[in-house]
Amino acid sequence: MPSPDPARIFAPLAYPMPAGSTRSAGGVPGGAYWQNGADYEIKAAIDPTNRLLSGSEIITYANNSPDALDVLWVQLDQNIYRDGSRGNFVNPQRHAEHTDGDVIESVSIEQDGKSIPVTPVISDARMQVPLPTALEGKGGKIRLKIVWHYTIPGTWGGRTAVSTTRNGDVYEVAQWFPRMAVYDDVRGWDTAPYLGQEFFLDYGDIDYSITVPWNFTVVGSGALLNQAEVLTQTERDRLAQAAKSDERVMIRTEVDIHDPKSHVAQTGTKTWHFRMNNTRDVAFAASPAFLWDAARLNLPPVVVEPGHAPVPRLAMSAYPVEAVGPHQWDRSTAYVKYAIEYFSRRWYPYPWPNAINLGGYGAAMEYPGIVFDGMHDKDPELFWVTAHELGHGWFPMIVGSNERRHAFMDEGFNTFIDTYASDDFNSGEFAPKRDVEFAPATGKPAEDILSVLRDPAAPRLMTPSDLIPESYRHPVTYFKAAYGLKLLREQILGPERFDRAFRRYIAVWAYRHPTPSDFFRLMDSETGEDLSWFWRGWYFNNWGPDYAVKSATPTGEGAAHGLVVTVDNKGWLPLPVTLQVSYTDGTSARLTIPTEAWYLRNEIELTIPGARTPQAVTLDPGHDIPDLNRADNALTLAAPPAQPATPPAH
């Protein structure tokens, strides 16, 4: 890199998304902001003999945009498993085997009590539905019926899978029903192809029923509405006990797994009925092998069905016997309970009935109200992955950013809040967070991020999600994005200003679709800072700080005695930096050099008064910032005072 150019570092930054009537200059939704919505009624069944999931759904789609829509776009995520899919070419290692993907049996428009067949156009993992007549804007609604089936991928499916365990298969079912694409004020229909980089969805109420063999237990997003039809009285009593307990209560035990009478029926099938309100998605898991435990969430009860009384909320875990152990899933529900309560208290209240950790294949994947983790996870790794996947309940399940385009607003924001959860849990039992997602080498982010900042091939945070190579996904999308927020909070703004602004960002964009520009503008406006230099350096480029102590010269005598220190800026990201002067008497003095010091120059002179004899000058003594070259951060001026000799022992 050439010498830093202040005119370029501090130049005005034009954010990619212009402000306007739908998105204000202050980073909040504008007065004309609108958002479409989709409610779903789904009926599905698992055929375990063929590992087939079949279903039908009715989507009630609300067009709140000002535009009339002549077509609808629907996402068919299961088509990524087809041989020849675009996603297969992008990530062939993820899809060693193939299915036929979504087999669409029929598509129709439900109108005036009639069903009007429609011939869709399927393009890879997307389906275009031409409408007989355009759907009017500003509140127009339409009912779309889709009948479909697909083969559930095996463990090679990754995010959605079937895994074999000692007591039966575990079905982890996600991205399982055709879902509406987003039509918004940014791009119109956002039809970025599904290549494996997660999702972008509208919000709505989802009512779904899953029919499974009699000996299966199903856990899923939202609330189970028909407990009396699918659970024994014993199981219901245990759930009621769990709703009053801060310690886990076993709902289904290992003894129950081997006892057919622990189910309400011993033949045929049963249908589990769930509902989740104001959500962008739902997922579920089903198996005859589940142990199931739960404890209460200390959060206010919620209404799960219109016209019904509020119900208590539960932290839950479901897992096979392979996961049992004091270092394994025996502690899972304690981790779930902690994470949901902690994030609710610190950032924004958790809105949904239950939070479930599923121990299965180990995809480490998040969905609203349920996360899929590994049955063999244990100790810190189990805590870290549980907190991280549940943290996605906030980013992007509550704050509905576009994961398919801006991965850092999903993984990075979530990893950021995870780091503080690790520090806080059980007096730091699993602190600091040190895993593949954050500070993997030493647990010290200022040291571990240097390999990324020194790498000319490292992608920028603003790089579209699908263009970030897998080798950089964790170092950049997770680690660098999370550490950037920690630098903003701890080194630039301070916790008080940052926390207030970040909570406001969550609150105003809850159940909405913010862009990076909205986030940048809101943080600028709410914190009272022009942070364009930071956004430009950390997000749009891969710049880092690099300071040097050039010289330190004693000056003056008597009351004018002091030290003149010359500091050079060699880096393109001029973070605030601490300068420490250590004295021969064992004392020290510190001052913070603000970013503004480098507006017009790359070298500054600082006069530090004091009659003490200086011993050393050090920049960033606590290694609080990721200085690219620490070799020139310190200058020794005097030898340390001689220590008195230790008298001989008698």
Side-chain angles (χ1 to χ4, degrees):
M1 292 285 289
S3 296
D5 179 0
R8 184 177 169 194
I9 293 170
F10 297 107
L13 178 62
Y15 296 130
M17 179 69 188
S21 60
T22 58
R23 297 167 189 270
S24 81
V28 302
Y33 181 84
W34 55 267
Q35 191 168 298
N36 291 351
D39 297 334
Y40 297 81
E41 301 171 46
I42 310 168
K43 299 185 186 304
I46 292 177
D47 170 7
T49 302
N50 299 300
R51 291 185 170 177
L52 194 74
L53 182 69
S54 57
S56 66
E57 65 189 77
I58 295 177
I59 306 170
T60 302
Y61 185 69
N63 178 20
N64 299 315
S65 81
D67 310 320
L69 302 177
D70 64 326
V71 300
L72 303 178
W73 279 96
V74 179
Q75 302 183 41
L76 305 178
D77 289 7
Q78 290 300 314
N79 282 358
I80 199 173
Y81 300 111
R82 285 182 173 178
D83 188 13
S85 74
R86 296 186 191 186
N88 185 58
F89 279 95
V90 173
N91 294 297
Q93 71 279 4
R94 292 187 183 178
H95 311 296
E97 302 177 51
H98 303 284
T99 72
D100 293 332
D102 274 308
V103 178
I104 302 300
E105 299 176 22
S106 66
V107 179
S108 58
I109 303 298
E110 304 288 304
Q111 193 173 49
D112 299 326
K114 299 178 181 179
S115 180
I116 304 172
V118 178
T119 302
V121 178
I122 296 175
S123 172
D124 198 58
R126 302 161 302 178
M127 179 170 72
Q128 186 189 65
V129 180
L131 299 180
T133 57
L135 175 61
E136 63 182 16
K138 299 183 178 179
K141 290 188 177 182
I142 195 169
R143 285 165 60 86
L144 178 67
K145 183 176 182 179
I146 306 174
V147 181
W148 46 267
H149 69 265
Y150 69 85
T151 300
I152 303 171
T155 53
W156 50 270
R159 289 193 170 117
T160 183
V162 183
S163 308
T164 300
T165 73
R166 194 181 313 162
N167 296 308
D169 287 344
V170 172
Y171 288 79
E172 298 168 67
V173 183
Q175 297 145 248
W176 55 284
F177 58 100
R179 299 172 298 174
M180 293 299 303
V182 171
Y183 185 87
D184 66 10
D185 62 309
V186 179
R187 289 182 180 84
W189 284 113
D190 197 316
T191 55
Y194 179 45
L195 305 178
Q197 291 296 335
E198 303 192 350
F199 326 109
F200 188 37
L201 299 160
D202 275 322
Y203 291 88
D205 299 339
I206 303 179
D207 188 293
Y208 66 106
S209 297
I210 310 298
T211 300
V212 293
W214 64 270
N215 63 334
F216 275 46
T217 296
V218 182
V219 291
S221 302
L224 177 63
L225 301 185
N226 63 334
Q227 288 190 11
E229 297 173 24
V230 294
L231 300 179
T232 64
Q233 186 63 53
T234 298
E235 290 170 319
R236 286 147 50 201
D237 290 345
R238 290 169 177 173
L239 281 169
Q241 180 186 351
K244 301 175 182 177
S245 174
D246 288 319
E247 302 297 325
R248 70 169 183 156
V249 174
M250 297 303 301
I251 313 304
R252 286 192 62 78
T253 68
E254 188 168 355
V255 171
D256 294 330
I257 292 174
H258 302 288
D259 180 8
K261 293 182 179 179
S262 68
H263 297 280
V264 293
Q266 286 73 51
T267 60
T269 62
K270 54 185 178 181
T271 299
W272 299 64
H273 183 192
F274 295 88
R275 183 180 177 90
M276 195 174 196
N277 298 327
N278 203 19
T279 182
R280 42 185 267 162
D281 201 2
V282 291
F284 69 91
S287 178
F290 283 155
L291 283 78
W292 179 16
D293 67 54
R296 72 178 174 187
L297 287 170
N298 287 302
L299 299 172
V302 294
V303 174
V304 298
E305 286 184 278
H308 288 67
V311 298
R313 297 195 266 176
L314 296 173
M316 300 181 182
S317 299
Y319 46 91
V321 294
E322 288 87 341
V324 172
H327 294 277
Q328 293 178 257
W329 282 71
D330 291 8
R331 296 188 72 184
S332 169
T333 291
Y335 299 159
V336 175
K337 176 179 168 61
Y338 166 79
I340 297 297
E341 292 176 355
Y342 174 79
F343 293 139
S344 294
R345 181 173 66 251
R346 181 150 187 177
W347 302 115
Y348 187 86
Y350 184 74
W352 296 301
N354 303 313
I356 303 164
N357 199 10
L358 189 283
Y361 161 72
M365 191 58 208
E366 71 281 357
Y367 299 95
I370 188 170
V371 299
F372 295 166
D373 291 325
M375 67 179 82
H376 300 296
D377 293 340
K378 61 181 181 180
D379 289 331
E381 288 75 18
L382 179 56
F383 173 81
W384 288 330
V385 76
T386 301
H388 177 83
E389 303 310 333
L390 290 170
H392 277 299
W394 282 259
F395 306 102
M397 307 308 173
I398 293 173
V399 181
S401 55
N402 190 342
E403 303 170 80
R404 201 161 286 183
R405 296 185 184 273
H406 309 297
F408 77 89
M409 297 183 75
D410 159 39
E411 299 295 356
F413 285 27
N414 179 28
T415 302
F416 164 71
I417 65 174
D418 297 343
T419 63
Y420 295 106
S422 294
D423 293 342
D424 185 80
F425 177 74
N426 202 20
S427 302
E429 179 182 357
F430 299 127
K433 180 175 169 66
R434 178 187 174 184
D435 57 8
V436 67
E437 299 166 352
F438 192 84
T442 68
K444 300 175 182 177
E447 306 300 329
D448 292 353
I449 200 64
L450 294 178
S451 61
V452 175
L453 298 182
R454 292 169 178 159
D455 183 354
R460 300 348 184 202
L461 282 171
M462 292 295 288
T463 301
S465 304
D466 286 318
L467 299 181
I468 297 176
E470 182 64 24
S471 60
Y472 286 106
R473 194 165 62 90
H474 281 111
V476 174
T477 300
Y478 293 69
F479 179 21
K480 187 186 178 189
Y483 185 40
L485 295 182
K486 286 183 75 75
L487 288 171
L488 196 59
R489 181 179 189 268
E490 297 172 7
Q491 305 304 321
I492 300 172
L493 297 172
E496 185 176 8
R497 278 196 296 165
F498 177 92
D499 289 358
R500 185 185 181 283
F502 198 59
R503 290 185 188 115
R504 176 157 169 77
Y505 167 73
I506 298 172
V508 300
W509 287 105
Y511 316 108
R512 290 172 169 166
H513 296 316
T515 67
S517 301
D518 297 316
F519 174 69
F520 298 151
R521 287 192 176 99
L522 185 142
M523 295 303 289
D524 286 349
S525 180
E526 289 292 313
T527 64
E529 297 285 348
D530 179 358
L531 295 165
S532 57
W533 62 272
F534 181 69
W535 310 132
R536 174 183 284 111
W538 197 260
Y539 289 81
F540 291 84
N541 292 282
N542 194 37
W543 296 345
D546 184 9
Y547 295 112
V549 180
K550 184 175 182 181
S551 64
T553 307
T555 182
E557 296 181 358
H561 186 72
L563 185 69
V564 176
V565 180
T566 303
V567 178
D568 281 354
N569 174 38
K570 300 179 179 181
W572 283 72
L573 187 73
L575 294 171
V577 63
T578 298
L579 176 74
Q580 176 176 288
V581 180
S582 303
Y583 299 98
T584 56
D585 63 2
T587 61
S588 63
R590 289 188 174 196
L591 62 84
T592 298
I593 303 172
T595 294
E596 288 81 357
W598 312 106
Y599 270 13
L600 301 172
R601 60 190 65 82
N602 287 326
E603 180 178 295
I604 60 172
E605 259 190 16
L606 304 169
T607 300
I608 294 132
R612 295 166 289 179
T613 302
Q615 178 183 318
V617 177
T618 306
L619 285 165
D620 190 31
H623 290 204
D624 296 315
I625 65 172
D627 195 295
L628 290 165
N629 177 20
R630 295 193 182 279
D632 52 12
N633 279 28
L635 196 62
T636 300
L637 305 177
Q643 299 297 317
T646 303
H650 294 286

